[in-house]
Amino acid sequence: QVQLVQSGAEVKKPGASVKVSCRASRYTFTGYYMHWVRQAPGQGLEWMGWINPNSGGTNYAQRFQGRVTMTRDTSISTAYMELSRLRSDDTAVYYCARGEQLWVAKGWFDPWGQGTLVTVSS
Amino acid sequence: QSVLTQPPSASGTPGQRVTISCSGSSSNIGSNYVYWYQQLPGTAPKLLIYRNDQRPSGVPDRFSGSKSGTSASLAISGLRSEDEADYYCAAWDDSLSGWVFGGGTRLTVL
């Protein structure tokens, strides 16, 4: 079945950047949106944005504009999320989640990757 | 402060029916589909209900969703211990041009 495998946990200092990867398999990578959602410890889900893997086009949540960059490498079916100028409140589990096919702009998130814990601490 | 409002907790005994509410506004629930996600302890979220009331294959028919105006509900009938999880509603928000989630409801099976 469709699988999303994310990179391992990261520990970063405040002000640094982190880049999380999400490798997709068992479907046509360029045919579906890829979303990024984060979850701070003990908190709820927060949508960060999506990338269209076919065109590379992106749509970022307003609160992350200027700090987040989503990219992809279609040759290895992998999406990336880079967050810069990290703060302690960026400590969270970051998930990638496949969206629906590209003609469905506001569709579901399914499936989700296993999550990547990013810890920001001095 | 989440854009969509859910009760922080809900509970029920095995076999009971419980409902979880999700309240929004005209820019999100009022004009777009609602989705529900289940997050079991220590795992990634999983799609439970899509487009207000549709169940993905593999999701038991004990789970059902509904929407009316700017509110939505998730109902779980025949409650089972394995239903103990966090439940999140989500919708696209036209004003924010982004997805918004509820704060989540922790369901406890007593």
Side-chain angles (χ1 to χ4, degrees), chain A residues 4-60:
Chain A
L4 301 176
V5 178
Q6 299 184 221
S7 48
E10 304 260 14
V11 179
K12 297 292 182 181
K13 293 194 182 304
S17 297
V18 68
K19 191 171 186 177
V20 179
S21 69
C22 172
R23 187 179 79 250
S25 60
R26 301 182 188 135
Y27 75 95
T28 303
F29 178 68
T30 52
Y32 297 76
Y33 288 100
M34 188 69 79
H35 297 267
W36 291 89
V37 178
R38 77 176 187 178
Q39 184 172 37
Q43 302 300 309
L45 303 171
E46 180 176 31
W47 180 75
M48 299 180 70
W50 57 245
I51 183 168
N52 175 333
N54 186 52
S55 66
T58 55
N59 179 24
Y60 302 142

Side-chain angles (χ1 to χ4, degrees), chain A residues 39 95 100 106-107 109 112-113, chain B residues 35 37 39 44-45 51 88 99:
Chain A
Q39 184 172 37
Y95 294 100
E100 287 198 65
K106 307 172 192 175
F109 304 161
W112 296 57
Chain B
Y35 297 77
Y37 297 90
Q39 187 174 32
R51 297 198 189 114
Y88 294 91
W99 284 93

